[in-house]
Amino acid sequence: MLMRKFFVGVLAALLVSSCSSSPEVYNITPEGVGPIKIGMNIKDVPEAIEGLYDHIEVVTTPESYDEMNDETIPAFDTYYFMLGEEKMFSTDPSTDGVISFIKTFSPKLSYNGVYAGMSCREVLASQKAKLTAWGTYASCEFYCSFSSDVPNIEFVVPLNNGGFFTDGSYDKVFNLSMKMSGDSYESYELNIAPEDIREEATITEVQIQ
């Protein structure tokens, strides 16, 4: 009986030890990703956080010239937070090192159940986010994304190369673009059904800004 109590006690200790050493589960919040917050300085970001990222890769984009806007875009650094080979999230700090936005790419990070890689049809059908668009018809500018319940989180969709709308939904999109004939960049909620979105379209990234 004494030996049985001894083994039970050892097992309980092992369970407590294993539970307490489990890495924390991190998610997207309006403030940032886990302990990485909007407004932090990149110098104050830890080199690694268990369960979130184990190293940071920095990619420098050289200075370039924007012919359309006739301006020079200065060089900047993009910090990619990696967990092994997986790209978890990134940010481009200001010249002072301040983090003003974060982009997440991993399905392990979600907000309100929506994550990068999730089917756009599923997002629309679940009503966890509403599909909105803004732009002006005259300038040919058009932007579309899923908006969350907080203004600084949005879910980006693959508009480039016709990767989002089905062929049958173009009339609805065109009718919307006609509303954007002025100079206003007011956003509009798109009145489309899940079948108006390509079946293969998925959320490309979640942005916090």
Side-chain angles (χ1 to χ4, degrees):
M1 186 61 146
L2 183 62
M3 184 63 69
R4 182 183 175 191
K5 289 183 178 179
F6 172 76
F7 280 120
V8 169
V10 170
L11 179 60
L14 287 173
L15 286 173
V16 170
S17 175
S18 63
C19 290
S20 62
S21 62
S22 298
E24 187 174 345
V25 176
Y26 296 103
N27 254 322
I28 299 166
T29 69
E31 290 76 37
V33 178
I36 310 303
K37 308 293 187 183
I38 300 295
M40 284 182 68
N41 195 290
I42 197 67
K43 296 177 182 178
D44 299 326
V45 169
E47 293 182 1
I49 296 176
E50 185 181 7
L52 184 57
Y53 62 92
D54 52 28
H55 68 286
I56 302 171
E57 297 180 2
V58 183
V59 176
T60 299
T61 300
E63 180 183 285
S64 61
Y65 177 69
D66 184 349
E67 293 183 358
M68 181 174 293
N69 295 311
D70 189 26
E71 64 180 5
T72 299
I73 302 174
F76 62 91
D77 291 331
T78 300
Y79 288 71
Y80 291 98
F81 295 76
M82 310 291 295
L83 187 60
E85 297 297 318
E86 184 178 9
K87 188 187 299 181
M88 301 295 287
F89 59 98
S90 74
T91 187
D92 302 347
S94 68
T95 53
D96 296 329
V98 177
I99 297 173
S100 60
F101 73 90
I102 296 172
K103 298 178 180 180
T104 73
F105 310 103
S106 171
K108 296 174 184 174
L109 301 172
S110 67
Y111 178 76
N112 195 24
V114 183
Y115 52 86
M118 185 175 182
S119 163
C120 292
R121 286 188 175 188
E122 184 181 348
V123 176
L124 188 65
S126 67
Q127 298 182 343
K128 291 182 176 179
K130 61 181 181 179
L131 187 62
T132 58
W134 62 261
T136 58
Y137 184 71
S139 67
C140 296
E141 289 182 297
F142 183 79
Y143 183 76
C144 178
S145 69
F146 283 101
S147 299
S148 72
D149 56 351
V150 292
N152 68 319
I153 295 181
E154 66 178 14
F155 312 100
V156 181
V157 299
L159 278 184
N160 292 341
N161 302 317
F164 185 72
F165 295 106
T166 61
D167 294 341
S169 66
Y170 284 141
D171 285 344
K172 294 181 181 181
V173 177
F174 179 77
N175 289 336
L176 173 71
S177 69
M178 295 303 291
K179 294 181 181 179
M180 301 177 177
S181 57
D183 296 328
S184 173
Y185 283 87
E186 180 183 355
S187 63
Y188 296 85
E189 184 172 358
L190 287 180
N191 182 26
I192 65 172
E195 56 267 26
D196 293 320
I197 302 174
R198 292 189 181 277
E199 189 174 357
E200 67 274 16
T202 58
I203 299 296
T204 56
E205 63 189 53
V206 182
Q207 292 188 357
I208 315 155
Q209 53 192 352

